[in-house]
Amino acid sequence: MTLKLPLLSKMKIWSDSTMDGQPYQVARFATTLRRQLFKEHLGLIPPQDCSQPQELVTSFMRCAPVPNRDHIGDPYDLLVADPLAEATEQLWNDTARKNREIFTEVFRPVPSNLVSSWAAYDVCSAP
């Protein structure tokens, strides 16, 4: 998986982090953006149900210049803090596998590696 996002930031605020298990200095803005995107893609952020009248409004729902709340160090942030760690890769792969299994069960996509014969196709395409 490759995530490429061109961005120019002139902020010179640094944070301590890890890269492949080693201590590393990272740009605070870039690392918080990456971590937030990772958490969104992995489903680690609680859903925001704005249809409820009592929905808690978070800093991420507000327009600029309201700053977002700093999540560095929270339990979900620590899961994605080191993008090169084996645990992070395992989390990505497990999430992708579960999502594929759910998608396949619900939508029965064809062609698929699971359909290798006409009999399997008949089972897969049955209503």
Side-chain angles (χ1 to χ4, degrees), residues 35-48:
R35 291 176 185 190
Q36 187 68 17
L37 290 171
F38 274 30
K39 289 186 289 187
E40 286 181 15
H41 284 80
L42 292 168
L44 300 176
I45 294 176
Q48 299 171 346

Side-chain angles (χ1 to χ4, degrees), residues 30-60:
T31 197
T32 56
L33 176 62
R34 179 191 54 78
R35 291 176 185 190
Q36 187 68 17
L37 290 171
F38 274 30
K39 289 186 289 187
E40 286 181 15
H41 284 80
L42 292 168
L44 300 176
I45 294 176
Q48 299 171 346
D49 184 5
C50 296
S51 65
Q52 300 298 321
Q54 300 301 319
E55 174 65 19
L56 175 67
V57 177
T58 68
S59 62
F60 290 96

Side-chain angles (χ1 to χ4, degrees), residues 7 9-17 24-36 68-74 77:
L7 182 69
S9 174
K10 295 183 180 185
M11 297 179 68
K12 301 293 184 197
I13 301 171
W14 300 95
S15 292
D16 293 325
S17 188
Y24 200 80
Q25 286 282 304
V26 293
R28 187 166 188 82
F29 176 75
T31 197
T32 56
L33 176 62
R34 179 191 54 78
R35 291 176 185 190
Q36 187 68 17
N68 292 333
R69 186 172 84 79
D70 188 355
H71 291 276
I72 287 184
D74 76 16
D77 186 70

Side-chain angles (χ1 to χ4, degrees), residues 1-4 33-44 76-101:
M1 184 219 66
T2 303
L3 173 66
K4 295 181 181 179
L33 176 62
R34 179 191 54 78
R35 291 176 185 190
Q36 187 68 17
L37 290 171
F38 274 30
K39 289 186 289 187
E40 286 181 15
H41 284 80
L42 292 168
L44 300 176
Y76 291 124
D77 186 70
L78 295 176
L79 291 174
V80 297
D82 186 342
L84 301 178
E86 288 184 25
T88 305
E89 182 179 3
Q90 188 67 42
L91 178 61
W92 272 108
N93 291 336
D94 289 347
T95 302
R97 182 184 44 75
K98 289 176 197 171
N99 287 344
R100 180 189 49 83
E101 289 170 357

